[in-house]
Amino acid sequence: MRAALAGAFALTLTGTALASDGTTQPQTGAAPGLTGGLPFPVNIGGAFELTDQEGDTRTEVDPSGNLQLLFFGYANCEAICSVALPMMAEVADLLAEDGLSLTPVMVTIDPKRDTVETIGAPLEEMHSDFVGLTGTEEELQKVYDLYSVEKEVVFTDPGYGEIFAHGSFIYLLDGSGDFLTIMPPILSVERMVEIVSSYATG
């Protein structure tokens, strides 16, 4: 039910499906900014435990109490990268200029590539505060279910392996890990900064 709801929401509000090559599929609707909250009640988010790039257990709670941007993708993508991750890094930098702390977080959709040993370096190249989370298939599936994220192998590259299509939303969480709103990556960086700032300042 939650997956169907999320799918309908994606089609209605953004009409986008971001593949791992960073391409955006044709839109079927408008993409409003979601500063006023979602237009209907949804059950998104919840408690989880995964493993970060240091090998430490990480939950939905930010240890420093920062707002968090959460995205589901993969770090080790060589030339096949999502546009969302560098956008998240830029949002964090712009907010820092205004004295607001934000933690960008990525949960992998490909734990075979994104292991504890490999997930950290490519994310750190984008932002020093980037947190990469991985885990077992069972642990990750729990988090996918919490955020109504679906992934699917769209093709297999002979030199690279499986290429996934996956959810494209960026989720804004508070320091306790509670879900605040969704932002599609078709928004500008400046618009994302405005939305996050509105939550940071109450």
Side-chain angles (χ1 to χ4, degrees):
M1 180 65 178
R2 295 201 328 169
L5 182 63
F9 180 59
L11 289 174
T12 302
L13 291 187
T14 69
T16 61
L18 192 69
S20 297
D21 60 359
T23 60
T24 303
Q25 304 304 315
Q27 298 184 32
T28 59
L34 304 180
T35 53
L38 300 179
F40 49 80
V42 293
N43 183 21
I44 295 177
F48 64 80
E49 288 189 358
L50 292 174
T51 304
D52 68 14
Q53 62 262 49
E54 304 299 328
D56 297 325
T57 298
R58 178 96 175 200
T59 71
E60 73 284 357
V61 178
D62 183 86
S64 300
N66 297 336
L67 288 170
Q68 304 170 82
L69 287 184
L70 175 66
F71 182 73
F72 293 82
Y74 47 160
N76 289 283
C77 56
E78 298 181 2
I80 308 170
C81 296
S82 166
V83 299
L85 300 180
M87 287 181 69
M88 292 164 63
E90 189 173 355
V91 169
D93 283 338
L94 290 174
L95 287 168
E97 293 177 3
D98 293 331
L100 298 175
S101 297
L102 176 80
T103 303
V105 181
M106 191 211 73
V107 174
T108 185
I109 51 90
D110 189 356
K112 293 180 182 177
R113 288 194 188 96
D114 289 336
T115 65
V116 170
E117 293 77 19
T118 64
I119 195 172
L123 293 176
E124 188 174 0
E125 289 180 6
M126 285 180 274
H127 199 283
S128 60
D129 293 335
F130 229 119
V131 175
L133 299 179
T134 188
T136 66
E137 292 283 359
E138 293 76 16
E139 290 170 339
L140 288 164
Q141 188 60 55
K142 177 183 177 181
V143 187
Y144 303 155
D145 292 342
L146 287 173
Y147 289 89
S148 297
V149 171
E150 296 183 1
K151 67 174 186 176
E152 180 182 1
V153 177
V154 290
F155 67 94
T156 300
D157 182 273
Y160 182 67
E162 293 179 336
I163 305 299
F164 291 91
H166 54 86
S168 61
F169 284 129
I170 298 171
Y171 301 82
L172 178 63
L173 311 180
D174 66 16
S176 298
D178 293 328
F179 168 78
L180 297 175
T181 194
I182 290 173
M183 294 182 289
I186 57 172
L187 296 179
S188 67
V189 169
E190 292 74 18
R191 182 62 180 141
M192 287 188 182
V193 168
E194 290 178 2
I195 294 172
V196 176
S197 295
S198 71
Y199 281 93
T201 59

